[in-house]
Amino acid sequence: MSSGSEFGQTETEVSDGSLPGDGRWLRQTKAFALRNLRATLRTKATIIWGFGFPAFWYFMTSLLFLPDAGDLGPGVAIGEIKGATAVSLGLFGVLTVTLVAFASGLGEDLTAKRYRKLRSLPVSPSADFAGRYLAGVAVAAVSYVLVLLVGFVDGAEYALHGPESVLVVTGSFLLFSLVGVSLAVLVTWLVEDSEIVVGITNAILLVSFFLTGYNGTSPGLLPEETRQIVNIAPNSLASRLQTFHLTETPPTGAQTGGVTPPSLPVGPEFVALLAVWAVALGAVASVLMDRAVYSGEAGE
């Protein structure tokens, strides 16, 4: 992550009380966001696992596991299947960045005792959390777009259904990023050891991906009685929301690796469900940043 001098610079920025009220909070949020963004982008693990691995996984999935065009049923185009796959692995990249990379960064900050000085300064814990979230969104957006571009070059077809699709795709991306960063704080609080944190977050990342039928793109791989989970779990819910709004006609049929059945989540209640996940986990993470990291002795 970052050097001690860089963290010291952030301490000076966030403790600047020249701006009263909300102005100080915004200044602190910006300082934490820029510090975490610089630190994350300079980490080789981010380049390899956050950017390279999801794109590489898409390429290997397309090459080895997706059906040939001639094997598909009538009315199903291979470009639609590739589009759904790209969306799924794009959000896999989002969770890789927001959960794994940022849990590792927070764990290293705690292990290195970097919060000892911050606890003595007029720093808002919510600004720390908001700054980490904004940095996570910025890095995750790069990973997400990269996978979609790789898919497009490979023949994936995307099609927005209208202005509401832009809102749903953008909103679900922001909400899912909040889920990832919030889980990162929760796991780090439970474990603290930065090396163990990396292993646990990677396990959560992979287990959630496979237990939801590749982020909800292949529910036919799951037992019939448990398939509805793909419209409930936040990772597959976000993936399936975006699949509907980013592809022309989502493929059907388990034999083709299709995303249905069950039916795709297309109603506003599913967007609300993802929002509930994000807000609930975000509230828990914000409280932990306050009580465990700043008011408590996390990392000591």
Side-chain angles (χ1 to χ4, degrees):
M1 295 296 290
S2 65
S3 65
S5 60
E6 184 180 47
F7 202 86
Q9 182 182 9
T10 302
E11 291 169 0
T12 302
E13 292 171 344
V14 300
S15 63
D16 186 351
S18 59
L19 294 175
D22 292 343
R24 181 188 298 180
W25 187 89
L26 291 174
R27 186 181 183 89
Q28 292 179 0
T29 299
K30 179 182 177 182
F32 278 112
L34 291 176
R35 181 258 171 182
N36 283 284
L37 183 60
R38 289 193 299 264
T40 303
L41 290 177
R42 282 209 302 262
T43 304
K44 290 182 179 179
T46 300
I47 306 300
I48 296 173
W49 298 110
F51 298 158
F53 184 58
F56 175 75
W57 198 344
Y58 169 84
F59 175 75
M60 294 302 296
T61 300
S62 176
L63 182 65
L64 300 176
F65 300 112
L66 293 187
D68 295 328
D71 297 333
L72 300 174
V76 180
I78 186 63
E80 296 161 3
I81 294 180
K82 288 184 176 182
T85 302
V87 169
S88 169
L89 291 175
L91 289 174
F92 178 86
V94 170
L95 195 58
T96 301
V97 170
T98 56
L99 173 59
V100 181
F102 279 82
S104 174
L106 179 59
E108 288 182 7
D109 289 342
L110 290 172
T111 301
K113 315 297 183 185
R114 290 173 180 148
Y115 275 94
R116 285 182 174 177
K117 288 185 178 180
L118 287 175
R119 291 186 181 111
S120 64
L121 298 174
V123 175
S124 170
S126 63
D128 186 347
F129 177 69
R132 289 182 184 273
Y133 168 67
L134 292 176
V137 165
V139 180
V142 176
S143 177
Y144 178 78
V145 171
L146 179 61
V147 177
L148 294 190
L149 287 175
V150 170
F152 179 75
V153 172
D154 184 51
E157 297 177 1
Y158 309 112
L160 293 171
H161 293 190
E164 69 279 4
S165 292
V166 177
L167 295 176
V168 172
V169 170
T170 303
S172 59
F173 169 81
L174 294 174
L175 290 170
F176 189 57
S177 296
L178 180 56
V179 168
V181 174
S182 301
L183 286 174
V185 174
L186 178 60
V187 172
T188 306
W189 169 70
L190 290 172
V191 180
E192 291 191 7
D193 188 309
S194 59
E195 294 184 2
I196 299 178
V197 162
V198 172
I200 292 178
T201 51
N202 270 300
I204 293 173
L205 175 72
L206 294 173
V207 168
S208 64
F209 181 76
F210 288 113
L211 286 186
T212 55
Y214 305 150
N215 273 0
T217 56
S218 297
L221 298 175
L222 304 176
E224 186 173 356
E225 61 272 15
T226 65
R227 288 178 190 172
Q228 287 298 330
I229 194 175
V230 298
N231 286 339
I232 299 174
N235 59 307
S236 54
L237 175 59
S239 177
R240 289 167 66 81
L241 277 168
Q242 293 201 1
T243 294
F244 176 79
H245 286 278
L246 278 175
T247 59
E248 184 66 39
T249 306
T252 61
Q255 73 277 9
T256 62
V259 296
T260 60
S263 300
L264 287 172
V266 298
E269 66 273 16
F270 292 102
V271 178
L273 176 59
L274 184 59
V276 168
W277 275 111
V279 171
L281 289 171
V284 171
S286 185
V287 170
L288 288 176
M289 288 295 294
D290 183 4
R291 297 185 180 181
V293 176
Y294 281 89
S295 300
E297 298 182 350
E300 298 298 328

